[in-house]
Amino acid sequence: MFEEAQLYAPVTRSDDGDTTVHLGDNHPGAADPDYRARRNALAALAMDWQPDTPPPTAPYTAAEHDVWRIVCAELHGLHERLACSAYLEGKQRLRLPEDRIPQLVEVNEMLRPLTGFQYVPAAGLVPLLEFYGSLADGIFHSTQYVRHHSVPLYTPEPDVLHEVFGHGNCLAHDRFAALYRIAGEAARRVQTPEALEFVSKVFWFSLEFGVLRERGEVRAYGAGLLSSYGEIQQIAQADLRSLDIPRMGVQTYDITHYQPLLFCADGFGEVEDLVGGFFADVDDELVQRLLLNASAPA
Ligand SMILES: [Fe+2]
């Protein structure tokens, strides 16, 4: 059974301008030359994009629209049972099409009036400070490619389903959007790589892979879970710890597998208080103190 992952494929551009996406050998599309050509073309679109211009239109195929439709349909029932209420409210508010892949331009027209957030294209992995820092401006860097159609319910890397159907429905909710913004401000406030990594780990264990308890049930609020058909069904079986910022900031994790350990908040309010409070206050000195305490013998 494939375990969904969050490993962006490296993208390179040759001197004569050819763009290549380097898919891993065990990527479902690795042996599919048509898929590889499409990945290169979509990555080239993102690399040619100029800031302060509309995101490029990605010419999706019928097969790619089918993947979106299948995944949205499968996630629909799971979200009703396993997504937190703030996500369901955001989904209701944004009303993304579920029968075809919306263009980032379309998503922006729907999202801007709600919370001011905007999508810009990304060819692949965006440097940490650029990705997180941009959130402070209401900017979310998003890939536009789609996972391989042979395994629609699996992707080794964050594709447009994760970025838009996972994060987008969160960004459409005022309380979620506020958390993303202050996470961005935190990334810009800290100066050291250690502090930025600490901030990114807290983000990972909250807005990517966070769960919370609502009416006695464990529900997902992290986009990595909300966009993963397989992993969202595993949250109740995970090793659930209570929200613990010092631990979240140093906890190691493997991005190529389901997360065995998750931090569970007591409602969305506790996410805002503890995770939001941390993002609002964090600086290099605080991280140094937390790292010191984390390394101190128990
Ligand atoms: Fe993500």
Side-chain angles (χ1 to χ4, degrees):
M1 170 66 178
F2 286 132
E3 286 200 356
E4 215 159 291
Q6 296 271 332
L7 186 64
Y8 287 93
V11 181
T12 58
R13 178 160 265 185
S14 65
D15 295 345
D16 50 16
D18 283 346
T19 304
T20 305
V21 178
H22 302 273
L23 300 179
D25 294 342
N26 57 8
H27 187 289
D32 180 342
D34 292 341
Y35 182 76
R36 300 190 79 120
R38 291 209 39 71
R39 289 293 302 263
N40 296 343
L42 289 171
L45 276 181
M47 293 183 95
D48 292 340
W49 173 77
Q50 296 302 317
D52 304 319
T53 67
T57 295
Y60 293 118
T61 65
E64 288 168 331
H65 286 302
D66 282 349
V67 170
W68 176 275
R69 189 174 43 73
I70 290 165
V71 177
C72 290
E74 291 292 341
L75 284 174
H76 196 79
L78 293 173
H79 284 163
E80 295 303 312
R81 235 175 3 96
L82 298 164
C84 71
S85 55
Y87 178 82
L88 295 172
E89 288 160 20
K91 195 176 173 182
Q92 193 64 28
R93 232 179 159 206
L94 189 58
R95 292 183 175 283
L96 288 167
E98 299 194 4
D99 59 343
R100 63 178 178 82
I101 309 169
Q103 294 292 339
L104 295 184
V105 171
E106 287 178 84
V107 179
N108 286 349
E109 277 156 19
M110 296 189 283
L111 190 54
R112 184 188 302 117
L114 299 176
T115 62
F117 259 91
Q118 294 287 275
Y119 279 93
V120 298
L125 185 64
V126 177
L128 276 189
L129 181 52
E130 190 184 345
F131 175 80
Y132 291 115
S134 302
L135 299 173
D137 305 327
I139 297 288
F140 193 97
H141 290 262
S142 171
T143 56
Q144 288 178 285
Y145 57 75
V146 185
R147 62 201 60 191
H148 195 258
H149 54 79
S150 60
V151 271
L153 299 178
Y154 162 74
T155 177
E157 56 202 332
D159 68 346
V160 68
L161 270 149
H162 168 72
E163 314 277 29
V164 172
F165 205 65
H167 287 289
N169 289 324
C170 299
L171 296 172
H173 192 283
D174 293 327
R175 294 169 70 186
F176 257 127
L179 279 170
Y180 276 78
R181 278 182 195 278
I182 47 174
E185 290 158 14
R188 284 197 174 148
R189 191 181 315 119
V190 299
Q191 301 302 312
T192 62
E194 300 78 29
L196 183 58
E197 191 191 346
F198 196 103
V199 167
S200 75
K201 283 188 172 180
V202 172
F203 187 98
W204 176 268
F205 285 110
S206 58
L207 296 170
E208 283 294 356
F209 287 92
V211 293
L212 53 79
R213 225 171 275 285
E214 226 168 41
R215 292 183 292 281
E217 295 173 343
V218 177
R219 298 251 174 170
Y221 73 91
L225 298 169
L226 291 160
S227 63
S228 170
Y229 173 82
E231 195 160 3
I232 197 171
Q233 298 181 69
Q234 310 272 329
I235 58 176
Q237 284 79 50
D239 174 2
L240 297 180
R241 307 291 174 87
S242 53
L243 264 192
D244 175 350
I245 298 294
R247 178 73 189 269
M248 289 159 81
V250 298
Q251 178 66 42
T252 56
Y253 57 86
D254 178 349
I255 65 172
T256 64
H257 284 292
Y258 288 172
Q259 300 303 308
L261 183 153
L262 299 173
F263 293 88
C264 187
D266 185 13
F268 201 86
E270 192 181 56
V271 178
E272 290 171 312
D273 293 346
L274 295 187
V275 175
F278 165 78
F279 286 142
D281 298 339
V282 66
D283 58 18
D284 297 288
E285 207 193 311
L286 173 64
V287 170
Q288 280 316 311
R289 267 205 317 277
L290 292 172
L291 289 174
L292 216 58
N293 294 346
S295 60

